[in-house]
């Protein structure tokens, strides 16, 4: 245990204070994926002079959620170590949330790692004179989480939209909760013209659901010229991966931006309202299925975050009837 503590001390010690423990709890709650037992889920934590970064991944690694609390968002933040040094940890989400939610959202929080004779994260929560202390056992990683090959290049033409009301994206995704199953596909179609700017559709053997986001419900809607010239563009995802990574964050966000690159990788950027000095940020990344035309053949598997390969036909256009088939929910 002393050796493990010495190794941690060699790479850095982090001490910080939040005016509201609610901020960290809200961010961790957004990282709770719905596709696994939440009691067993662990998140990766990177502590550095820049602040704290958290990463959660789906089992198939076709979806990931990243959250940040930058050093300037803390009432006090100190990282002992060089600017290049980082601490890499795995944290159990459920007991950590239980600790942070002992008091109300008015409780302040102080964190220190490492603390004590083993790899423990020490929390002190205080509210109106009442104080409680928690120690969370962590796992120290020798190196950082393998870097994702999924990224959006600077200057890359992106399809993107921002709802005027952030709850619109949560309501749209919620329409598909009853269809959530491992093999169900969510098709996201963006339309250059017409009242419907974004169309979401999922179909099962017994039912289907379709949601339209009207152009006037969006604050911004952008498509690269070469994509807009085709009229529509469509990408397909495992519904489970989209809901697992996006639904909770969309519920609590005060601002939402959805971006899709030319390969169909979908980025959902969320801003959460902080009780402290600065807002909190979260991003959910979802990889598309490898085959654009799922019907009429075997369904291709999704890409993952660590070895993306070209996606045959990922930019295939949706049929003209796709946005008008059956009853739709319109926002």
């Amino acid at each position: 245990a002393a050796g493990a503590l010495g190794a941690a001390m060699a790479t850095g010690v982090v001490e910080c204070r939040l005016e509201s423990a609610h901020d960290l709890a809200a961010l961790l709650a957004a990282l709770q994926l719905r596709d696994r037992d939440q009691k067993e889920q662990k998140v990766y934590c990177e502590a550095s002079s820049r602040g704290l970064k958290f990463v959660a991944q789906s089992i198939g690694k076709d979806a990931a959620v990243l959250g940040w609390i930058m050093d300037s968002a803390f009432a006090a933040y100190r990282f002992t170590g060089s600017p290049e040094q980082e601490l890499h940890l795995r944290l159990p989400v459920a007991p950590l949330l239980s600790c942070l939610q002992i008091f109300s959202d008015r409780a302040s929080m102080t964190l220190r790692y490492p603390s004590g004779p083993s790899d423990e994260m020490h929390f002190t929560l205080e509210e109106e004179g009442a104080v409680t202390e928690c120690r969370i056992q962590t796992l120290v990683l020798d190196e950082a989480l393998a870097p994702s090959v999924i990224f959006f290049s600077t200057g890359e033409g992106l399809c993107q939209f921002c709802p005027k009301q952030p709850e619109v994206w949560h309501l749209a995704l919620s329409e598909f909760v009853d269809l959530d199953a491992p093999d169900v596909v969510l098709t996201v179609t963006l339309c250059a013209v017409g009242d419907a700017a974004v169309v979401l559709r999922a179909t099962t053997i017994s039912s289907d659901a379709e949601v339209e986001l009207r152009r006037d419900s969006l604050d911004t809607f952008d498509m690269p010229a070469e994509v807009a010239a085709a009229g529509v563009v469509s990408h397909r995802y495992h519904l489970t991966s989209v809901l697992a990574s996006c639904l909770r964050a969309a519920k609590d966000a005060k601002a939402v931006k959805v971006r899709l690159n030319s390969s169909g990788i979908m980025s959902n950027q969320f801003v959460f309202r902080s009780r402290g000095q600065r807002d909190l940020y979260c991003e959910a990344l979802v990889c598309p299925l490898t085959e654009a035309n799922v019907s009429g053949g075997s369904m291709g598997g999704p890409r993952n975050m660590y070895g993306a390969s070209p996606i045959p036909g990922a930019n295939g256009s949706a049929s003209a009837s796709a946005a008008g088939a059956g009853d739709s929910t319109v926002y």
Side-chain angles (χ1 to χ4, degrees), residues 186-210:
L186 176 70
T187 301
V188 180
T189 300
L190 283 75
C191 310
V193 296
D195 291 337
V198 182
V199 180
L200 311 178
R201 184 175 178 82
T203 303
T204 67
I205 295 176
S206 58
S207 61
D208 64 353
E210 183 176 280

Side-chain angles (χ1 to χ4, degrees), residues 15-329:
E15 296 178 282
C16 54
R17 175 181 172 83
L18 283 171
E19 293 296 342
S20 174
H22 169 273
D23 289 353
L24 181 55
L27 195 64
L28 290 172
L31 271 71
Q32 281 192 300
L33 302 178
R34 296 172 63 247
D35 67 343
R36 65 176 78 189
D37 187 350
Q38 292 185 353
K39 294 182 179 179
E40 302 297 329
Q41 185 187 347
K42 293 179 174 60
V43 298
Y44 295 90
C45 174
E46 175 187 293
S48 69
S49 59
R50 301 178 298 276
L52 302 181
K53 173 184 175 182
F54 301 92
V55 181
Q57 296 177 323
S58 64
I59 294 174
K61 293 185 170 58
D62 64 324
V65 186
L66 298 82
W68 296 268
I69 304 183
M70 308 308 293
D71 59 331
S72 57
F74 291 89
Y77 186 88
R78 184 169 72 93
F79 182 81
T80 304
S82 71
E84 296 77 20
Q85 288 180 323
E86 297 172 343
L87 278 171
H88 302 284
L89 312 170
R90 286 189 68 191
L91 306 176
V93 179
L96 187 50
L97 279 174
S98 296
C99 170
L100 295 171
Q101 295 169 345
I102 290 176
F103 292 146
S104 75
D105 58 6
R106 296 187 299 274
S108 63
M109 180 211 77
T110 302
L111 176 155
R112 177 182 170 86
Y113 179 86
S115 177
S118 61
D119 293 317
E120 293 180 334
M121 183 171 285
H122 180 251
F123 292 88
T124 302
L125 289 89
E126 183 174 356
E127 181 179 2
E128 296 180 352
V131 178
T132 188
E133 296 186 1
C134 302
R135 294 182 183 271
I136 303 295
Q137 189 69 39
T138 66
L139 175 64
V140 181
L141 305 179
D142 294 332
E143 57 187 15
L145 184 67
S148 168
V149 298
I150 303 302
F151 60 92
F152 288 5
S153 302
T154 302
E156 179 181 7
L158 302 175
C159 295
Q160 56 187 357
F161 59 90
C162 299
K164 291 180 179 178
Q165 302 297 327
E167 60 269 20
V168 164
W169 190 233
H170 176 257
L171 292 171
L173 295 177
S174 297
E175 294 288 338
F176 299 93
V177 170
D178 291 341
L179 278 65
D180 190 9
D183 293 331
V184 178
V185 173
L186 176 70
T187 301
V188 180
T189 300
L190 283 75
C191 310
V193 296
D195 291 337
V198 182
V199 180
L200 311 178
R201 184 175 178 82
T203 303
T204 67
I205 295 176
S206 58
S207 61
D208 64 353
E210 183 176 280
V211 175
E212 294 181 359
L213 302 186
R214 294 179 58 88
R215 206 168 301 274
D216 57 11
S217 73
L218 304 178
D219 192 36
T220 61
F221 179 86
D222 300 312
M223 297 177 73
E226 63 274 16
V227 178
V232 294
V233 63
S234 179
H235 301 288
R236 294 168 171 83
Y237 309 86
H238 277 315
L239 176 61
T240 293
S241 298
V242 175
L243 296 182
S245 60
C246 301
L247 194 60
R248 177 60 184 266
K251 180 180 179 182
D252 298 330
K254 74 168 191 176
V256 178
K257 175 187 283 187
V258 181
R259 305 181 299 161
L260 299 94
N261 69 6
S262 59
S263 297
I265 299 164
M266 179 166 59
S267 160
N268 297 258
Q269 297 181 323
F270 305 102
V271 180
F272 301 130
R273 186 171 284 103
S274 168
R275 302 293 198 277
Q277 304 178 57
R278 293 186 58 181
D279 291 332
L280 309 175
Y281 302 94
C282 175
E283 181 175 25
L285 295 168
V286 189
C287 293
L289 295 170
T290 56
E291 295 292 336
N293 186 6
V294 176
S295 61
S298 60
M299 182 173 65
R303 302 173 82 187
N304 64 56
M305 301 290 171
Y306 304 98
S309 57
I311 307 177
N315 292 328
S317 298
S319 64
S321 61
D327 296 329
S328 301
T329 301

